[in-house]
Amino acid sequence: MKSVTVIGASLAGLHAARALRAQGYDGRLTVVGAEPHRPYDRPPLSKEFLTAPAGADGAEDPSAANRLDLTDAEEVAELDADWLLGTGATALDPRHRTLSLTTGRTLTTDGIVLATGAAPRRLPGPAPAGSHVLRTLDDARALRADLSRGGQAQVVVIGGGFIGAEVAASCAALGHHVTVVEAAPLPLVPQLGHAMAELCARLHGDHGVALRTGTGVRGLRSAGADDRVTAVELVDGRLLPADVVVTGIGVRPTTAWLEGSGLPLDDGVRCDAGCVTPISTIVAAGDVAHVAGARAEHWTSATEQAATAVHNLLAGRTVRTHRALPYFWSDQYGVRIQFAGHRAPGDVPRIVEGTPDDRSFLARYERDGRTTAVLALNRARPFLRLRRELARAAEPARTG
């Protein structure tokens, strides 16, 4: 294999490039990224980046974006890659091993790592001024500019998942009036179960954020010459006044450009347990990868899958599988929520340290007398210990 192309200058894409060099690949390496930025860290976009103080002139402090960078000049030189930034992929021809790019250029390559990530789901209909999604650095800049227009704003966050909750917490910290709208009876029930989701939902009320659950959104109202958002209309007819709206209702894997390629597409690029597609010279990692029947949208999965995918790409077949323990975290209202494990609907949570009233506790999920998952609010050290215990039973299997 003399040339490898990584499609996606993402977290997974960067870790794939690092893994290629770390595993001894010394051929031509190309990284194609639709955004004009080198790989950056996305989790702070909904937290530290939104709340970072502005510069002396009121403009964005350049250091806020610089702190997101995942590479430096030394690493860029060591990777020795051809970075095609601000360039998207439009088509893939596996038979001829060619990629078509938005610039009109065509690349021929021996191996491909798909790391194109996902794009945020949007509400149907037009998006008036003042309505936002949050996925990219440019999304965060646009939202931050709207939140800095002056005075207290009425902010409505549609979706109470991790992104929505983090944005709500940041907006509340900035002094805005915030309402979170969640279609489910409680946010995070699929991830945490009803009992623990209820405890986490209390964080909103603790900080003056209104939580409206069990209702969906019919659409956005707007007015004025600039067609700016004025309200969110709920399905029950209620109107929530809004100066700024942030929609956080999930993502879709970025696979439209792969239609017609022959690769199996079903909620992502379908891969085996080693992140390998039916074409052994094409692997996938991160939010776009549907690995062995599941797709994980978390920071840790993106980094771990990349190393497995590259190992198998260089081997020419699946010799290593990815079986890491699911893990995610979220920072909301000064509370770090951490979860690890495989929770099933019937698993029973039991608090073993701390108390919910203090918003600091450790809980085990149990099934038939054994621990299946662990949840912590501001209990990082004991959580790490239990996470390691669970991980020992789910270490990646290696057969070569």
Side-chain angles (χ1 to χ4, degrees), residues 157-228:
V157 178
I158 302 171
F162 293 119
I163 290 294
E166 290 171 0
V167 169
S170 294
C171 291
L174 291 169
H176 300 298
H177 300 290
V178 185
T179 300
V180 175
V181 179
E182 170 59 48
L186 279 173
L188 304 179
V189 168
Q191 295 87 355
L192 306 181
H194 188 278
M196 294 295 103
E198 185 174 26
L199 296 180
C200 290
R202 294 178 188 175
L203 292 171
H204 294 294
D206 289 349
H207 294 81
V209 172
L211 181 61
R212 303 283 183 262
T213 60
T215 183
V217 171
R218 180 172 292 161
L220 305 183
R221 297 282 187 92
S222 59
D226 58 353
D227 188 36
R228 187 165 186 87

Side-chain angles (χ1 to χ4, degrees), residues 146-155 174-177 243:
D146 250 359
L147 294 172
S148 304
R149 287 163 59 91
Q152 290 183 324
Q154 295 281 355
V155 180
L174 291 169
H176 300 298
H177 300 290
D243 304 305

Side-chain angles (χ1 to χ4, degrees), residues 7-378:
I7 311 298
S10 57
L11 177 69
L14 173 62
H15 277 260
R18 288 172 173 172
L20 282 162
R21 293 308 191 203
Q23 295 181 30
Y25 172 72
D26 60 1
R28 180 162 57 90
L29 174 59
T30 304
V31 181
V32 177
E35 294 184 62
H37 318 291
R38 282 206 172 89
Y40 58 88
D41 206 17
R42 295 186 192 277
L45 293 179
S46 57
K47 302 181 281 288
E48 295 95 329
F49 184 82
L50 284 185
T51 58
D57 58 355
E60 176 190 319
D61 183 350
S63 65
N66 292 341
R67 286 192 292 270
L68 302 175
D69 290 346
L70 292 173
T71 60
D72 55 26
E74 182 179 355
E75 180 177 30
V76 168
E78 289 176 351
L79 288 175
D80 189 23
D82 184 13
W83 295 84
L84 304 182
L85 302 177
T87 302
T90 59
L92 168 63
D93 181 349
R95 180 182 176 187
H96 297 97
R97 298 179 291 110
T98 58
L99 288 159
S100 300
L101 306 180
T102 53
T103 58
R105 178 179 173 183
T106 299
L107 285 179
T108 301
T109 185
D110 295 329
I112 296 172
V113 180
L114 300 173
T116 47
R121 296 178 183 271
R122 298 174 183 268
L123 296 175
S131 62
H132 301 266
V133 293
L134 182 56
R135 176 73 180 181
T136 68
L137 175 57
D138 292 340
D139 290 338
R141 282 176 165 154
L143 175 56
R144 178 172 164 152
D146 250 359
L147 294 172
S148 304
R149 287 163 59 91
Q152 290 183 324
Q154 295 281 355
V155 180
V156 176
V157 178
I158 302 171
F162 293 119
I163 290 294
E166 290 171 0
V167 169
S170 294
C171 291
L174 291 169
H176 300 298
H177 300 290
V178 185
T179 300
V180 175
V181 179
E182 170 59 48
L186 279 173
L188 304 179
V189 168
Q191 295 87 355
L192 306 181
H194 188 278
M196 294 295 103
E198 185 174 26
L199 296 180
C200 290
R202 294 178 188 175
L203 292 171
H204 294 294
D206 289 349
H207 294 81
V209 172
L211 181 61
R212 303 283 183 262
T213 60
T215 183
V217 171
R218 180 172 292 161
L220 305 183
R221 297 282 187 92
S222 59
D226 58 353
D227 188 36
R228 187 165 186 87
V229 68
T230 58
V232 174
E233 182 181 3
L234 304 182
V235 293
D236 60 11
R238 284 181 294 168
L239 289 178
L240 300 178
D243 304 305
V244 177
V245 174
V246 185
T247 301
I249 53 175
V251 298
R252 290 189 178 93
T254 305
T255 58
W257 69 281
L258 289 169
E259 293 177 3
S261 67
L263 291 177
L265 306 177
D266 179 15
D267 186 33
V269 179
R270 296 191 70 87
C271 309
D272 66 13
C275 305
V276 181
T277 73
I279 301 171
S280 62
T281 54
I282 303 176
V283 299
D287 291 357
V288 77
H290 193 126
V291 179
R295 194 170 61 82
E297 298 174 2
H298 302 299
W299 193 96
T300 306
S301 298
T303 61
E304 293 175 344
Q305 286 177 353
T308 299
V310 162
H311 184 90
N312 294 327
L313 177 67
L314 296 178
R317 60 190 178 91
T318 300
V319 295
R320 179 178 297 178
T321 57
H322 178 76
R323 292 178 50 226
L325 186 75
Y327 166 65
F328 60 80
W329 80 91
S330 178
D331 294 319
Q332 304 172 19
Y333 306 104
V335 174
R336 169 151 289 196
I337 301 171
Q338 295 173 283
F339 180 91
H342 298 275
R343 187 196 72 84
D347 295 354
V348 177
R350 181 170 62 90
I351 294 176
V352 294
E353 286 188 23
T355 66
D357 290 342
D358 293 334
R359 306 298 186 258
S360 175
F361 64 84
L362 181 74
R364 293 175 179 260
Y365 291 82
E366 298 176 340
R367 183 194 319 153
D368 299 328
R370 64 184 182 88
T371 300
T372 59
V374 58
L375 168 70
L377 270 65
N378 280 348

